[in-house]
């Protein structure tokens, strides 16, 4: 990336967005390993071009690199196993299925030696269909139904992550009624919240998830909800208390927040051991590892995060004089996010002229030039054949993405562009700001990388758009792992009465 070039940089672009030196180049951290331009400049996965994929499957389309998924899954497992080998013999890695789940993915997860996190009966149904052993599956959620708890027990899940005192009683009662023992982790809120480069530590928790660790909760004796839950769990013969869990946020780059949460939870385990002689053998540190959505995102290698976390677990356990619990983690986005790009076809183009933003000029009415006239700048809207129905993250979270001209290369000048969808909503933005070649035209294909996590999973039928399918590319051939919806699918549940 160059420093913004005065000739081409648009005053409308956000400060972080540089004009690329080469609009055709792929910024590697954002893409799956098998993605390259072929000899004709067409984007290809394992040699299979986007033109061929469009021909066979249409657009919009999620294109996933299967080998890349497997490699990322393995690299998390290997990096954490290595870092924690001398502490607790390795780490159990639970792939967070909510980021993207289908039976093929569960099979890959299983084959690569990972486990699976679920958060609903529907996700458990996918797990069951894929044939993963229940002992390797966890169930999360702040409001599990009795049916979901029963299903978890039917499948003999390795852990039910209990979110509240209320739920603990329900799980105990259901398990007791079945004459069984439920394997339970308690989800605690350690007062550490992390996002990207910062984390904040607070004493109190004001959110729907988890049992508060703050010492002055509702209990008369001044016990925290977390401590009450430990005491309650051990009083039930139908509960096997495995340990505690936390999840501090998502899209986190720095290990500090994870390390602080680990330390807090270890101190809690030591206190419970001291006070009640309860030894809990497991500690889950959640997910949230960040990925590159744009060229300015700089994710750390899994090994670096693993080592930082291991150092804190090692020193805290030594200080407290406790045996280290078995550690587990729950990455979702960091495994699947970068394996996938969304392929769109370009349709309508228009360019508007916009005043320079106030922050740059100190003047909301635009920049007067020397003749006193306002100077405006072009912003091109590039409409594609999907949008917020296949990627809700820009609307939901103000998430930034990037895009590239995929069906060919171009030598044209960069033009600040906004990639938008086809929905009846002005907020329907896929990529808020990106430089694309000036000659992008209807019929070109665009690829938006980093759409493996929380895109298909959050997709909708808004405006009766059919949700796109997902193709997995392996060894140069593509297969649908989830087919796209048809018009018939869209009408199927409409009872017509
Ligand atoms: C969402 C979630 C994860 C996965 O988060 P990523 O940011 O995708 O890694 C892990 N654990 C829990 C409890 C979650 O809710």
């Amino acid at each position: 990336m160059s420093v913004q070039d005065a000739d081409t940089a648009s005053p409308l672009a956000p400060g972080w967005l540089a004009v690329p030196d080469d609009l055709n180049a792929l910024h590697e951290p954002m893409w799956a390993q098998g993605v390259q331009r072929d000899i004709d400049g067409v984007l290809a996965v394992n040699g299979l071009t986007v033109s061929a994929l469009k021909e066979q499957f249409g657009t919009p389309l999620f294109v996933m690199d299967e080998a890349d998924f497997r490699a990322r899954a393995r690299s998390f497992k290997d990096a954490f196993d290595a870092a924690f080998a001398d502490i607790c013999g390795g780490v159990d890695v639970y792939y967070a299925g909510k980021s993207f789940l289908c039976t093929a993915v569960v099979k890959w997860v299983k084959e690569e030696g990972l486990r699976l996190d679920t958060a609903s009966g529907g996700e458990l149904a996918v797990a069951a269909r894929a044939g993963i052993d229940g002992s390797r599956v966890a169930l999360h959620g702040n409001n599990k139904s009795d049916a979901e708890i029963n299903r978890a027990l039917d499948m003999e899940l390795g852990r039910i992550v209990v979110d509240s005192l209320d739920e603990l009683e329900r799980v105990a009662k259901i398990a007791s009624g079945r004459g069984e023992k439920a394997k339970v982790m308690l989800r605690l809120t350690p007062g550490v919240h992390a996002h990207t480069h910062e984390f904040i530590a607070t004493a109190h928790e004001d959110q729907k998830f988890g049992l508060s660790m703050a010492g002055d909760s509702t209990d008369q004796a001044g016990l925290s909800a977390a401590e009450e839950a430990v005491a309650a769990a051990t009083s039930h013969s139908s509960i096997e208390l495995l340990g505690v869990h936390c999840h501090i946020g998502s899209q986190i780059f720095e290990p500090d927040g994870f390390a602080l949460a680990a330390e807090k939870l270890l101190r809690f385990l030591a206190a419970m051991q001291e006070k009640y002689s309860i030894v809990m053998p497991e500690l889950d540190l959640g997910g949230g590892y960040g990925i590159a959505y744009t060229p300015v995102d700089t994710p750390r290698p899994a090994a670096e995060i693993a080592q930082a976390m291991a150092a804190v677990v090692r020193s805290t356990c030594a200080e407290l004089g406790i045996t280290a619990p078995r550690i587990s983690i729950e990455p979702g986005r960091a495994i699947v996010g970068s394996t996938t790009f969304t392929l769109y076809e370009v349709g309508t183009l228009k360019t508007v002229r916009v005043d320079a933003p106030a922050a740059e000029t100190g003047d909301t009415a635009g920049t007067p030039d020397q003749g006193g006239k306002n100077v405006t700048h072009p912003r091109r809207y590039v409409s594609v054949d999907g949008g917020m129905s296949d990627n809700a993250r820009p609307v939901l979270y103000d998430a930034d993405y990037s895009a590239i001209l995929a069906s060919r290369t171009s030598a044209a000048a960069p033009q600040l562009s906004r990639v938008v969808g086809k929905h009846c909503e002005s907020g329907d933005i896929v990529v808020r700001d990106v430089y694309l070649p000036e000659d992008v035209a209807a019929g070109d294909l665009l690829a938006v990388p980093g759409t493996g996590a929380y895109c298909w999973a959050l997709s909708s039928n808004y405006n009766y758009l059919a949700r796109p399918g997902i193709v997995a590319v392996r060894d140069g051939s593509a297969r649908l792992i989830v087919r796209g919806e048809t018009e018939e699918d869209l009408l199927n549940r409409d009872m017509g009465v």
Side-chain angles (χ1 to χ4, degrees), residues 94-99 117-119 140-141 161 163 187 209 245-252 258 284-290 329-336 453-454:
Y94 287 78
Y95 168 69
K98 74 170 197 264
S99 58
D117 255 2
T118 62
H140 281 276
V161 185
D163 209 90
R187 176 166 181 169
F209 289 115
H245 165 281
C246 70
H247 173 69
I248 61 168
S250 64
Q251 186 61 0
I252 301 165
F258 296 119
D284 190 308
L285 296 171
Y289 311 96
I329 57 166
E330 306 174 317
R333 185 194 317 268
I335 291 178
V336 71
Y454 306 109

Side-chain angles (χ1 to χ4, degrees), residues 94-419:
Y94 287 78
Y95 168 69
K98 74 170 197 264
S99 58
F100 170 66
L101 193 64
C102 69
T103 51
V105 159
V106 180
K107 288 176 187 165
W108 306 342
V109 160
K110 193 171 65 167
E111 286 163 12
E112 300 305 330
L114 277 70
R115 300 176 180 222
L116 180 69
D117 255 2
T118 62
S120 72
E123 290 184 3
L124 282 178
V126 180
R129 184 194 234 192
I132 189 169
D133 197 278
S135 66
R136 302 180 72 81
V137 179
L139 177 64
H140 281 276
N142 66 302
N143 189 23
K144 303 172 189 76
S145 67
D146 289 2
E148 286 169 331
I149 293 166
N150 272 299
R151 186 169 205 159
L153 293 169
D154 288 344
M155 288 174 68
E156 300 180 31
L157 289 207
R159 47 170 72 165
I160 298 174
V161 185
V162 165
D163 209 90
S164 63
L165 285 160
D166 198 33
E167 186 180 78
L168 182 65
E169 295 308 312
R170 242 167 346 117
V171 172
K173 190 165 163 222
I174 291 170
S176 161
R178 297 167 58 114
E180 293 171 15
K181 224 174 160 90
K183 292 186 160 72
V184 161
M185 301 278 284
L186 298 174
R187 176 166 181 169
L188 309 189
T189 47
V192 180
H193 304 267
H195 181 71
T196 308
H197 292 293
E198 300 104 43
F199 73 84
I200 51 165
T202 56
H204 293 273
E205 291 291 345
D206 188 9
Q207 61 151 309
K208 74 169 186 173
F209 289 115
L211 292 147
S212 174
M213 295 176 75
D216 57 352
S217 71
T218 54
D219 186 82
Q220 303 250 311
L223 299 185
S224 66
E227 183 169 346
E228 273 188 77
V230 170
T234 48
S235 74
H236 289 295
S237 58
S238 60
I239 298 280
E240 179 184 348
L241 182 57
L242 293 178
V244 293
H245 165 281
C246 70
H247 173 69
I248 61 168
S250 64
Q251 186 61 0
I252 301 165
F253 293 135
E254 308 298 330
D256 326 21
F258 296 119
L260 183 63
E263 187 189 329
K264 283 199 166 188
L265 265 60
L266 286 167
R267 289 190 188 285
F268 180 81
L269 290 182
M272 295 303 100
Q273 196 168 322
E274 169 128 3
K275 191 161 171 186
Y276 303 104
S277 302
I278 297 164
V279 179
M280 286 177 262
E282 299 192 31
L283 171 60
D284 190 308
L285 296 171
Y289 311 96
I291 65 165
Y293 285 109
T294 72
V296 292
D297 292 331
T298 51
R300 305 293 179 89
E304 195 181 319
I305 297 173
Q307 281 155 19
M309 288 166 71
V312 167
V313 171
R314 190 182 291 112
S315 65
T316 308
C317 288
E319 182 208 323
L320 296 168
I322 59 170
T323 306
R326 174 80 180 182
I327 301 292
S328 49
I329 57 166
E330 306 174 317
R333 185 194 317 268
I335 291 178
V336 71
S338 304
T339 66
T340 301
F341 63 82
T342 310
L343 189 65
Y344 297 106
E345 185 177 276
V346 173
T348 303
L349 295 152
K350 81 163 186 181
T351 300
V352 297
R353 297 205 63 95
V354 183
D355 293 340
E360 305 253 332
T361 61
D363 174 5
T364 49
T367 320
D369 68 8
Q370 279 162 355
K373 277 192 0 224
N374 280 355
V375 177
T376 59
H377 307 278
R379 184 191 321 278
R380 182 177 51 174
Y381 281 82
V382 178
S383 300
V384 294
D385 50 354
M388 62 189 288
S389 54
D390 58 71
N391 189 352
R393 293 189 67 256
V395 180
L396 268 181
Y397 310 117
D398 265 333
D400 284 312
Y401 281 87
S402 189
I404 199 162
L405 174 58
S407 43
R408 61 186 175 90
T409 52
S410 166
Q415 182 171 14
L416 185 70
S417 305
R418 179 162 288 173
V419 180

